């Protein structure tokens, strides 16, 4: 706690620090909410970036600044529709005027402003919430649609490149083997049956059918902040994975997260289901804001994107379980196995409703 206090003070808070507590349920970085005794902003977010995942944190901060400057300029030119607010977290500078602080142990800390009077939920509450989460991703993509993606650094090479995750899976399996259990057998068979499908988006990109754009990288439900009184989406947080990518990664990730009413942390993995009506609501929120930049071919790959990102996340969790939980924070040894099974069941449910999901996408075009 003393250390946290010392670090928090580096970011010149405009008041006395009353409290610092862990915030959210991130699987990668350490996040804290700092509360101040101040008449103005009462909170800010303090984060320690995970060096295993983000070996070049200065590039992460560079992307964050490029992105937020662009969005502020766009919002200045055309504010969101009347009655709505849209906020982007501000980077807070340290005493030395830096966008981060390195502690004596070499940890990389940064601070961001807090979006006030807003909250997040770990899973979707209802169709209204689903529509707002879709709106948030649409707003995010729309505001960045005229930012040339080369302006952003590739902070996480290989991120969302499914064939790369398969190569890593093979290496881990060869090195550590797999425990004998019915769940592990199910997972191994599940992955084995989808090898041909895994390169679907990367092949389309290599053939020039899909192109790189600025993406959020992690637009799951609990990264969308909604106003505590109106329930309207007011911003997207967790901007470390902003980088060039396919918007399909984002759309797939947002839908695999939002259309699973049990949420990705449920223990009840056998009953996990993809809910098409939530998918409809999310796309109803998203597509009106995306019409101007989505192409004909982009639409053709939407169903595959949802299926792929659910599968990919399952594969990533499963591999990490085999490797001994070295990437995703785990609260118990089997945690990443259960998380993987949740995503595999979700993928199965999606696959069994493929025609209905494709029809929803077609209807909303
Ligand atoms: C990780 O740490 P968190 O929860 O923001 C991961 C995402 C996964 C997500 C699953 C950099 O994000 O890709 O979809 O867990 N982030 C990174 O909950 O790997
Ligand atoms: Mg994240």
């Amino acid at each position: 706690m003393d250390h946290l206090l010392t670090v928090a003070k580096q970011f010149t808070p405009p008041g006395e620090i009353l409290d610092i507590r862990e915030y959210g349920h991130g699987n990668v970085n350490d996040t804290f909410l700092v509360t101040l005794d101040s008449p103005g902003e009462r909170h800010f977010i303090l984060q320690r970036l995970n060096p295993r995942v983000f070996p070049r944190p200065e590039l992460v901060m560079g992307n964050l600044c490029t992105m937020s400057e662009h969005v502020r300029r766009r919002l200045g030119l055309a504010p969101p529709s009347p009655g709505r607010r849209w906020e982007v977290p501000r980077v807070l500078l340290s005493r030395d005027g830096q966008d981060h602080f390195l502690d004596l142990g070499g940890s990389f800390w940064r601070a961001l402003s807090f979006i006030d009077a807003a909250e997040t939920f770990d899973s979707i509450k209802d169709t209204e919430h689903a529509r707002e989460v879709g709106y948030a991703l649409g707003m995010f993509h729309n505001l960045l649609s005229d930012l040339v993606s080369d302006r952003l650094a590739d902070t996480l090479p290989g991120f969302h490149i499914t064939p790369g995750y398969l190569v890593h899976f093979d290496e881990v399996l060869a090195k550590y083997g797999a425990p004998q259990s019915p769940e592990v057998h199910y997972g191994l068979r599940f992955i084995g049956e989808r090898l041909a499908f895994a390169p679907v988006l990367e092949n389309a990109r290599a053939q020039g059918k899909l192109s790189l754009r600025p993406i959020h990288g992690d637009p799951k439900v609990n990264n969308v902040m909604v106003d505590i009184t109106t329930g309207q989406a007011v911003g997207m947080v967790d901007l470390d994975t902003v980088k060039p990518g396919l918007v399909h990664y984002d759309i797939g990730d947002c839908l695999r997260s939002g259309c699973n009413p049990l949420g990705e942390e449920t223990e009840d993995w056998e009953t996990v289901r993809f809910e098409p009506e939530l998918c409809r609501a999310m796309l109803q929120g998203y597509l009106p804001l995306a019409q101007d930049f989505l192409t004909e071919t982009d639409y053709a790959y939407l169903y595959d994107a949802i299926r792929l990102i659910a599968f990919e996340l399952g594969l990533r969790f499963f591999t990490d379980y085999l490797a001994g939980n070295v990437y995703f924070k785990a609260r118990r040894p089997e945690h990443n196995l259960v998380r993987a099974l949740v995503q595999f069941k979700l993928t199965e449910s999606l696959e069994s409703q493929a025609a209905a999901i494709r029809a929803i996408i077609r209807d909303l075009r």
Side-chain angles (χ1 to χ4, degrees):
M1 188 63 192
D2 278 355
H3 184 57
L4 280 175
L5 198 60
T6 311
V7 175
K9 282 186 182 159
Q10 300 302 317
F11 294 95
T12 58
E16 196 196 329
I17 295 174
L18 298 179
D19 184 48
I20 305 180
R21 62 183 57 190
E22 274 196 66
Y23 187 70
H25 305 115
N27 293 332
V28 170
N29 296 323
D30 298 321
T31 307
F32 302 90
L33 180 68
V34 183
T35 304
L36 305 171
D37 174 15
S38 124
E41 293 187 33
R42 291 208 54 228
H43 303 282
F44 71 90
I45 292 286
L46 184 66
Q47 282 184 308
R48 173 169 43 207
L49 296 198
N50 181 332
R52 283 185 82 122
V53 176
F54 299 106
R56 301 212 38 205
E58 74 286 359
L59 295 182
V60 172
M61 296 311 289
N63 281 356
L64 190 54
C65 293
T66 306
M67 186 233 40
S68 55
E69 264 168 42
H70 184 87
V71 169
R72 270 193 209 102
R73 199 167 331 116
R74 278 280 307 268
L75 288 173
L77 293 171
S81 18
R84 282 218 175 235
R85 59 174 171 137
W86 185 259
E87 296 188 28
V88 187
R90 266 178 300 111
V91 174
L92 307 183
L93 298 183
S94 73
R95 279 184 188 159
D96 317 331
Q98 303 286 314
D99 59 17
H100 65 276
F101 169 70
L102 282 182
D103 70 14
L104 290 174
S107 287
F108 189 101
W109 293 87
R110 59 95 191 277
L112 300 169
S113 64
F114 185 69
I115 301 181
D116 236 339
E119 58 191 332
T120 62
F121 298 90
D122 284 329
S123 53
I124 284 283
K125 292 188 298 177
D126 49 33
T127 49
E128 204 38 58
H129 184 208
R131 199 167 295 121
E132 287 300 317
V133 170
Y135 168 89
L137 185 62
M139 198 59 186
F140 189 89
H141 282 170
N142 186 307
L143 289 167
L144 291 179
S145 59
D146 57 338
L147 174 70
V148 180
S149 70
D150 297 356
R151 297 264 327 271
L152 299 171
D154 189 354
T155 45
L156 277 163
F159 193 52
H160 288 314
I161 311 285
T162 315
Y165 291 115
L166 274 177
V167 171
H168 181 53
F169 163 73
D170 283 337
E171 288 164 359
V172 165
L173 189 60
K175 184 162 171 197
Y176 300 98
Q180 296 292 326
S181 75
E183 290 81 11
V184 170
H185 275 136
Y186 164 75
L188 291 173
R189 192 172 31 110
F190 196 88
I191 295 167
E193 286 166 357
R194 284 160 188 78
L195 301 182
F197 168 64
V200 60
L201 291 184
E202 296 318 312
N203 286 348
R205 180 158 78 103
Q207 291 159 8
K209 293 179 181 166
L210 302 177
S211 49
L212 296 181
R213 300 199 179 101
I215 63 161
H216 180 283
D218 190 14
K220 55 182 178 179
V221 170
N222 62 10
N223 282 334
V224 174
M225 299 213 68
V226 295
D227 187 287
I228 52 174
T229 44
T230 64
Q232 288 179 334
V234 295
M236 294 202 71
V237 292
D238 191 5
L239 305 169
D240 302 316
T241 45
V242 169
K243 67 188 223 59
L246 298 177
V247 287
H248 293 73
Y249 304 151
D250 275 356
I251 300 168
D253 201 37
C254 194
L255 282 130
R256 68 103 199 131
S257 157
C259 305
N260 164 10
L262 291 182
E264 64 184 70
E265 289 291 328
T266 181
E267 290 290 318
D268 204 2
W269 59 273
E270 277 163 301
T271 54
V272 167
R273 202 183 114 79
F274 183 90
E275 182 48 66
E277 283 318 304
L278 292 174
C279 172
R280 182 188 300 280
M282 292 184 86
L283 290 174
Q284 276 168 344
Y286 178 79
L287 289 174
L289 288 143
Q291 260 162 2
D292 290 347
F293 61 84
L294 285 187
T295 66
E296 194 70 30
T297 351
D298 282 329
Y299 276 99
Y301 283 91
L302 290 188
Y303 166 75
D304 283 336
I306 315 169
R307 179 183 171 207
L308 186 71
I309 299 297
F311 168 67
E312 177 193 278
L313 184 59
L315 171 69
R316 293 171 64 199
F317 282 141
F318 193 80
T319 306
D320 202 39
Y321 163 70
L322 297 181
N325 308 315
V326 292
Y327 185 98
F328 296 105
K329 291 181 195 168
R331 282 186 292 281
R332 51 187 188 286
E334 315 283 300
H335 195 168
N336 280 317
L337 174 62
V338 177
R339 285 171 169 157
L341 298 170
V342 168
Q343 297 304 317
F344 291 157
K345 278 290 162 190
L346 187 68
T347 310
E348 246 174 42
S349 171
L350 256 147
E351 290 167 349
S352 69
Q353 302 179 83
I357 299 166
R358 286 186 190 277
I360 290 171
I361 296 169
R362 207 173 42 238
D363 288 353
L364 294 177
R365 273 220 53 180

